Amino acid sequence: MTNMVWKRNEVESPCVQLCVVHPVERICTGCYRTLDEISRWSKMDSSERAEIMEELPSRKPRLAKRRGGRAARQKQS
């Protein structure tokens, strides 16, 4: 008898359980996937998942834009 655990050979989800969709960019601020990608993830084949995984890091800068916060409000006064 063997103690091997069966494991699927597929691309894992990039989900980090920080599920908040950016209101302008329309991508998740945790994993950088679009709503469509998130909803279809379980139906995608490995090659489509891998392609998306490669693209995710390039989406991060889209969320790094700051609106100015407190410093910007003080300049307006």
Side-chain angles (χ1 to χ4, degrees):
M1 186 141 206
T2 179
N3 288 336
M4 290 179 49
V5 176
W6 179 78
K7 187 169 180 165
R8 293 168 68 168
N9 187 21
E10 61 185 42
V11 176
E12 295 291 326
S13 170
C15 182
V16 294
Q17 297 180 348
L18 176 64
C19 306
V20 177
V21 177
H22 190 278
V24 176
E25 296 295 331
R26 306 298 298 161
I27 58 177
C28 176
T29 60
C31 67
Y32 311 119
R33 291 180 293 170
T34 66
L35 290 174
D36 180 58
E37 290 166 346
I38 293 168
S39 66
R40 293 186 317 106
W41 193 260
S42 63
K43 298 169 186 74
M44 292 179 187
D45 62 26
S46 292
S47 63
E48 188 174 8
R49 289 181 183 182
E51 188 177 307
I52 290 168
M53 291 291 284
E54 269 188 46
E55 187 181 323
L56 295 178
S58 70
R59 298 177 185 181
K60 184 177 181 176
R62 292 168 48 186
L63 303 182
K65 299 173 190 165
R66 302 262 333 232
R67 292 183 288 190
R70 183 174 181 261
R73 287 192 302 272
Q74 288 179 334
K75 285 180 186 176
Q76 293 175 358
S77 300

